């Protein structure tokens, strides 16, 4: 009897030992996974570092590239495109004008009533239209016909308040947010597509010509008066309300900047200097690159797999199209190398661009004690459930590292513009310098925006008292309508 008891006891003891060993092994494996995951996050933080000294180097490099791009065509990664806008709106503009704002995966059509200095922007109506993905990579005719049809439908909704004087064509300001080589205020050839568009037969064509042909095909009597980049539109919209606006920055799906340059500081400008002595310059700063930019293996892999490898490097680390994708790539590596989401890599985590920046922003802004927003987003987007609080915290940390890097580099870019204009130091009696900002990233991703604004203050020191950031809501749309008004074909008739 005693022997049996001893035996049973030995079996029990062995079972306990095995169970303990399994728990220990699981714990060791688990802590090993955590150590590996934590190491990946620490390495990311290190590679994405943006100490003030590095940001100053980025700003200096930006200013140098601006000089080079103004000196000669192709002299810099920054195209520094002459916009042919030498007169920004003054507030005196009057009448009804249309605008078409094509900037990314959506476009907007607007109708605006301008009432001069007294009434400014009176009535305005707009409609937003999503571009079907197949049209972003289809033919030029297909894209522009789709846009012209939407414009025609919008024009058909005019009410009795809309009075076009007899014999006048409707006039349109066309915001086209892709690199174009302008030859006048109302013509420009497409240099290349960005932001996920790739319509080969449109490259090298005059986009106003393409739109005009499409308007004729749908039977709409409308004249394109001004072709502007969204950043130039934002600059015009900002200046309309505030004469101290000197530059505009877009932080949205893509990113760009424009500013007002002294005409005599543009060596590549041939011809008569404009009467105003000024010229709005479209920098195309998304294409900026410098050895000082803190790039990681994730950025390099994303770039090499993109439609435009080696291009738009600055845009790929600071804009809304790419921030979520960088985070997804980091999480994917954590899943593969540290079994971060369990023994298998969630299939949806492997899909490029599955994590959109608005979702990243929602996770980053989660202040609930159990980070339930992070949990629900992981479940909804990647079908990852039952994540621990520790896992969710690590994800928020990755979002923070990627967003803060983008925000601080945006601030360095703005400092580069201020340096070029000599506005980065405190000077007696100088007006305030206002930067107009627009774009969904700036408007909705508050942690990004706050980080950018505080970094700019930090970089400028006491000079920050004379620099203001102003949200120029819908600058690109209203700005295009304003530029259509200030370049109306009927202006001379009215003045004579």
């Amino acid at each position: 009897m005693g022997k049996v008891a001893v035996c049973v006891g030995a079996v029990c003891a062995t079972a306990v030992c095995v169970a303990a060993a399994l728990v220990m092994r699981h714990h060791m494996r688990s802590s090993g996974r955590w150590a590996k995951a934590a190491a990946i996050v620490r390495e990311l933080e290190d590679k994405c570092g943006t100490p003030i000294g590095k940001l100053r180097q980025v700003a200096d490099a930006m200013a140098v590239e601006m000089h080079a791009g103004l000196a000669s065509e192709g002299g810099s990664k920054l195209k520094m495109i002459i916009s042919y806008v030498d007169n920004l709106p003054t507030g005196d503009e009057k009448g009804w004008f249309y605008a078409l704002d094509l900037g990314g995966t959506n476009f907007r059509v607007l109708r605006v009533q301008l009432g001069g200095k007294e009434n400014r922007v009176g009535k305005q109506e707009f409609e937003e239209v999503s571009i079907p993905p197949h049209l972003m990579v289809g033919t030029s005719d297909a894209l522009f016909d789709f846009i012209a049809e939407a414009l025609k439908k919008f024009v058909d909704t005019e009410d009795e308040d809309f009075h076009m004087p007899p014999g006048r064509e409707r006039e349109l300001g066309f915001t086209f947010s892709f690199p174009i080589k302008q030859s006048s205020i109302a013509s420009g050839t497409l240099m290349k597509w960005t932001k996920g568009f790739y319509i080969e037969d449109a490259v090298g064509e005059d986009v106003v010509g393409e739109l005009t042909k499409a308007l004729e095909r749908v039977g709409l009597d409308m004249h394109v008066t001004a072709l502007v980049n969204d950043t130039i539109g934002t600059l015009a919209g900002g200046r309309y309300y505030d004469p101290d606006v000197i530059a505009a920055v877009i932080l949205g799906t893509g990113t760009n900047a424009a500013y007002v340059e002294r005409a005599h500081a543009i060596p590549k400008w041939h011809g008569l200097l404009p009467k105003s002595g000024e010229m709005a310059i479209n920098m195309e700063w998304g294409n900026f690159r410098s050895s000082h930019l803190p790039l990681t293996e994730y950025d390099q892999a994303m770039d090499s797999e993109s439609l435009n490898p080696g291009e738009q490097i600055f845009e790929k680390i600071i804009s809304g199209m790419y921030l979520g994708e960088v985070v997804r790539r980091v999480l994917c590596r954590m899943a593969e190398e540290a079994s971060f989401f369990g023994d298998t890599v969630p299939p949806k985590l492997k899909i490029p661009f599955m994590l959109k920046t608005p979702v990243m922003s929602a996770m980053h802004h989660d202040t609930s004690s159990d980070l339930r927003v992070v949990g629900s987003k992981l479940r909804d987007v990647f079908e990852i459930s039952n994540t621990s609080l520790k896992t969710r915290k690590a994800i928020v940390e990755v979002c923070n590292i990627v967003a803060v890097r983008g925000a601080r580099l945006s601030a360095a870019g703005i400092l580069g513009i201020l340096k070029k204009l000599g506005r980065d130091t405190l000077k007696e009696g100088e007006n305030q310098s206002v930067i107009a900002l627009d774009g969904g990233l700036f408007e909705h991703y508050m942690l990004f925006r706050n980080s950018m604004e505080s970094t700019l203050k930090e970089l400028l020191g006491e000079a920050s008292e004379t620099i203001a950031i102003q949200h120029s809501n819908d600058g690109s749309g209203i700005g295009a309508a304003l530029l259509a008004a200030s370049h109306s074909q009927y202006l001379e008739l009215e003045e004579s």
Side-chain angles (χ1 to χ4, degrees), residues 64-312:
V64 165
E65 290 293 314
M66 288 171 76
H67 275 283
L70 290 172
S72 63
E73 291 298 347
S76 161
K77 278 280 180 191
L78 297 180
K79 293 197 164 56
M80 304 301 284
I81 298 166
I82 293 167
S83 70
Y84 292 87
V85 171
D86 55 353
N87 279 311
L88 287 164
T90 59
D92 293 323
E93 293 77 13
K94 285 185 176 178
W96 282 96
F97 295 89
Y98 276 86
L100 164 63
D101 182 6
L102 174 61
T105 46
N106 299 326
F107 66 86
R108 279 175 316 149
V109 287
L110 300 91
R111 184 165 42 233
V112 180
Q113 182 185 27
L114 303 174
K117 278 209 164 70
E118 311 303 288
N119 301 316
R120 294 286 171 159
V121 175
K123 193 171 178 184
Q124 58 172 302
E125 297 161 334
F126 76 92
E127 204 170 286
E128 188 147 332
V129 183
S130 280
I131 299 175
H134 71 275
L135 290 181
M136 294 169 65
V137 291
T139 66
S140 183
D141 281 359
L143 176 66
F144 283 104
D145 283 351
F146 180 78
I147 292 167
E149 285 286 357
L151 257 170
K152 189 173 191 308
K153 274 187 202 148
F154 186 61
V155 167
D156 290 343
T157 65
E158 287 174 1
D159 59 24
E160 63 279 2
D161 292 346
F162 188 94
H163 299 299
M164 263 333 260
R168 277 204 181 196
E169 271 185 305
R170 293 175 182 85
E171 293 187 292
L172 175 82
F174 182 15
T175 302
F176 186 76
S177 314
F178 302 90
I180 46 175
K181 183 166 177 51
Q182 279 196 243
S183 44
S184 74
I185 186 66
S187 62
T189 54
L190 174 62
M191 296 159 80
K192 64 172 182 182
W193 290 104
T194 54
K195 293 180 258 194
F197 279 77
Y198 191 70
I199 300 169
E200 206 170 345
D201 66 338
V203 176
E205 296 297 325
D206 176 9
V207 292
V208 172
E210 295 296 292
L211 178 60
T212 301
K213 285 187 287 191
L215 292 172
E216 285 166 5
R217 285 195 291 270
V218 300
L220 180 56
D221 185 23
M222 186 177 269
H223 177 73
V224 181
T225 308
L227 171 65
V228 293
N229 175 272
D230 58 346
T231 327
I232 298 285
T234 300
L235 184 61
R239 177 66 73 90
Y240 181 69
Y241 290 107
D242 188 337
D244 291 333
V245 166
I246 59 161
V249 175
I250 303 276
L251 288 164
T253 306
T255 182
N256 193 11
Y259 74 105
V260 183
E261 183 57 273
R262 299 169 297 269
H264 64 75
I266 311 171
K268 70 180 179 183
W269 172 263
H270 302 298
L272 292 172
L273 288 181
K275 286 193 189 81
S276 65
E278 294 185 331
M279 179 60 73
I281 298 291
N282 164 19
M283 291 174 61
E284 289 297 330
W285 87 352
N287 207 40
F288 171 70
R289 69 182 305 168
S290 156
S291 58
H292 301 299
L293 291 177
L295 295 173
T296 67
E297 65 193 76
Y298 312 103
D299 304 301
Q300 282 150 353
M302 181 174 72
D303 174 51
S304 67
E305 292 164 30
S306 71
L307 288 170
N308 53 351
E311 302 286 322
Q312 301 297 110

Side-chain angles (χ1 to χ4, degrees), residues 380-451:
D380 296 346
V381 177
F382 296 117
E383 294 171 5
I384 297 170
S385 48
N386 305 323
T387 48
S388 67
L389 183 57
K390 196 174 176 185
T391 299
R392 295 175 191 187
K393 280 181 174 170
I395 290 166
V396 173
E397 193 173 351
V398 171
C399 293
N400 187 61
I401 292 166
V402 173
V404 165
R405 174 185 67 164
R408 286 172 69 81
L409 288 170
S410 307
I414 292 171
L415 178 63
I417 297 172
L418 293 169
K419 274 179 175 292
K420 169 71 181 72
L421 294 174
R423 302 277 189 128
D424 59 320
T425 52
L426 216 47
K427 290 189 184 72
E428 278 299 309
E430 196 167 75
N431 281 359
Q432 193 181 38
S433 301
V434 179
I435 315 284
L437 259 119
D438 196 14
L441 189 63
F442 176 78
E443 190 176 350
H444 303 300
Y445 200 147
M446 292 315 295
L447 289 170
F448 183 101
R449 177 178 180 164
N450 295 343
S451 172

